[in-house]
Amino acid sequence: MPVLYSLQFMMKMTIFPSVLMIAIFLMTLLGGNQPKNWVGNPGSDLLWIKFIAGPGDASAMLNPLVFRYAIGGLGSVITYSMMVGLVLCVLIGLNATKIITEKRLEFYREAQSNANTTAYYVAATVTTTIEQGFSAFVGSVLAYLILNPSASFVVYLWNFFMLSWLSVSWALLLSIIVPPKSVSTVVSFFMAFFGLLFCGQTQPGHFKALYSNPTLAVFAGIVSPLRFFVEGIGVSEARCLPQQSGYTVADEAFNYPEYEQSYPYAFDRTFMARTDAGTAIVQSCSGWFWWVPASLVVGITIRIAGAVAIHLSDRPKQGKKTIRTEIVDDFNKCRSGEKSIFQSFILIGILGFLVFSGFFALSCWLILRENPEEFSRFVMAATE
């Protein structure tokens, strides 16, 4: 019997990573960026056009020729990141819900025995984050080996891990507030719907709209697991392009501001990294990580919301009073001196709200922060 249980446990632990690896392998092999997507660079023989034509004419003449290899290859990279990211966040999200849904009865039993609910939630969060993070790590290794991309491995490691970080955050929250029978449906819909619509490549969450509408940018950065994943990989690969390729420029390009509209970057070919242009346009294969702090804090904010939700949802099943009764009793006991104000349910609730508000405000700031020095010259192109 112990051997049978061990075999069942091993199968349970290996099924999901195997499915994830198969999905990443097939999508990378079939839909990943290939050398043929990067059409040969025509070189600098045509750059003389910029010296005999104005910015508008130069743009029309140069874009189809000089920047064709960069536009086609980068488009393939972005499409691949959307495909693999969408599958990854759905699979990780569904698997992450199991620690809540499959142990719900055990949780109710322990909660009725006055077990620490917060400790249970923290343990579930840490365990799931490690499990899904490891799966994402293995997936990033597999994708990098098959793709053999220009950007460093750290780029794919961070992007895959942070995608799992956000997916797990939302999966835990949704598995707490959604009825158990509907968790799989809701999580799948949430990951696919918000992930795809607000990843930066489709309306209404296209990068152009995100960088011109702060409210939409905050909304997309919080609800879409793919928001930073697509841009993170896309910009990192674009930074590897040669200087003067339509995305990166050299330090000695002193006439660049005058002719910036002849570049696909300023003509909304990608519209990525608008708030960190000073870093994004400098040629480098080390990656682009402006988005990491925002993604990290957003994940923490969602997990704090989950910690609050687990205390508020299904309280009768946890053997606890309703919120209204709890507040009234707590207030009366504090007023009569039976309970210290520092032990009151009301004070804990206020502190929890303040902590959540603080992290939410920090998330908004990190999503919207920009490099004013470098961003100013792109404002005109962004508003046209």
Side-chain angles (χ1 to χ4, degrees), residues 13 19 40 53 56 70 108 155 181 214 248-249 274 276 336 340 359 376:
M13 294 299 294
V19 172
Y108 291 153
V155 171
K181 294 182 179 179
T248 59
V249 296
R274 301 296 289 191
D276 192 35
S336 64
S340 171
F359 273 93
S376 58

Side-chain angles (χ1 to χ4, degrees), residues 58-138:
S59 173
M61 299 169 68
L62 288 173
N63 281 349
L65 301 174
V66 177
F67 303 131
R68 182 179 59 178
Y69 76 102
I71 295 172
L74 188 57
S76 179
V77 170
I78 294 175
T79 301
Y80 166 74
S81 63
M82 290 175 59
M83 292 167 50
V84 73
L86 184 61
V87 172
L88 195 65
C89 71
V90 171
L91 291 178
I92 287 180
L94 289 175
N95 198 57
T97 62
K98 295 180 180 179
I99 199 167
I100 299 295
T101 56
E102 293 183 355
K103 300 183 181 297
R104 196 179 293 264
L105 293 179
E106 297 176 18
F107 166 68
Y108 291 153
R109 183 190 63 203
E110 296 300 323
Q112 291 174 6
S113 302
N114 294 323
N116 192 320
T117 304
T118 303
Y120 169 83
Y121 178 76
V122 171
T125 300
V126 172
T127 302
T128 308
T129 300
I130 294 175
E131 290 179 353
Q132 307 310 318
F134 177 76
S135 298
F137 165 74
V138 177

Side-chain angles (χ1 to χ4, degrees), residues 51-339:
F51 298 99
I52 64 172
D57 295 335
S59 173
M61 299 169 68
L62 288 173
N63 281 349
L65 301 174
V66 177
F67 303 131
R68 182 179 59 178
Y69 76 102
I71 295 172
L74 188 57
S76 179
V77 170
I78 294 175
T79 301
Y80 166 74
S81 63
M82 290 175 59
M83 292 167 50
V84 73
L86 184 61
V87 172
L88 195 65
C89 71
V90 171
L91 291 178
I92 287 180
L94 289 175
N95 198 57
T97 62
K98 295 180 180 179
I99 199 167
I100 299 295
T101 56
E102 293 183 355
K103 300 183 181 297
R104 196 179 293 264
L105 293 179
E106 297 176 18
F107 166 68
Y108 291 153
R109 183 190 63 203
E110 296 300 323
Q112 291 174 6
S113 302
N114 294 323
N116 192 320
T117 304
T118 303
Y120 169 83
Y121 178 76
V122 171
T125 300
V126 172
T127 302
T128 308
T129 300
I130 294 175
E131 290 179 353
Q132 307 310 318
F134 177 76
S135 298
F137 165 74
V138 177
S140 66
V141 173
L142 183 61
Y144 185 81
L145 292 177
I146 298 176
L147 281 177
N148 191 24
S150 302
S152 68
F153 170 68
V154 178
V155 171
Y156 286 80
L157 175 61
W158 267 108
N159 277 277
F160 275 68
F161 177 77
M162 295 310 295
L163 178 62
S164 72
W165 170 261
L166 292 176
S167 301
V168 168
S169 300
W170 276 112
L172 291 174
L173 175 60
L174 294 174
S175 62
I176 292 172
I177 63 178
V178 174
K181 294 182 179 179
S182 303
V183 168
S184 298
T185 302
V186 172
V187 170
S188 300
F189 170 80
F190 183 91
M191 298 294 180
F193 183 81
F194 289 104
L196 188 61
L197 287 186
F198 297 96
C199 68
Q201 290 297 303
T202 57
Q203 297 296 346
H206 191 273
F207 284 129
K208 184 175 183 179
L210 296 180
Y211 281 114
S212 59
N213 187 335
T215 302
L216 186 62
V218 170
F219 179 79
I222 292 177
V223 304
S224 176
L226 295 180
R227 164 63 183 90
F228 301 113
F229 182 81
V230 173
E231 188 175 30
I233 291 181
V235 175
S236 296
E237 290 289 347
R239 290 190 69 195
C240 267
L241 291 171
Q243 296 171 348
Q244 318 299 340
S245 62
Y247 200 93
T248 59
V249 296
D251 294 335
E252 62 270 17
F254 54 87
N255 282 330
Y256 174 69
E258 180 181 353
Y259 291 97
E260 65 181 8
Q261 291 189 9
S262 66
Y263 280 74
Y265 182 91
F267 257 89
D268 305 336
R269 300 290 186 179
T270 61
F271 218 83
M272 299 184 296
R274 301 296 289 191
T275 53
D276 192 35
T279 302
I281 65 174
V282 177
Q283 200 277 336
S284 172
C285 290
S286 59
W288 180 71
F289 303 103
W290 170 91
W291 55 274
V292 172
S295 181
L296 180 64
V297 175
V298 167
I300 295 175
T301 304
I302 300 170
R303 289 162 196 254
I304 293 175
V308 174
I310 201 171
H311 284 280
L312 301 181
S313 61
D314 295 330
R315 290 183 65 84
K317 295 181 180 179
Q318 298 182 37
K320 299 178 181 179
K321 304 173 185 178
T322 62
I323 295 296
R324 180 178 179 182
T325 304
E326 189 81 49
I327 292 176
V328 172
D329 291 350
D330 194 65
F331 178 79
N332 292 331
K333 289 180 179 179
C334 290
R335 188 173 59 175
S336 64
E338 297 180 33
K339 179 188 291 187

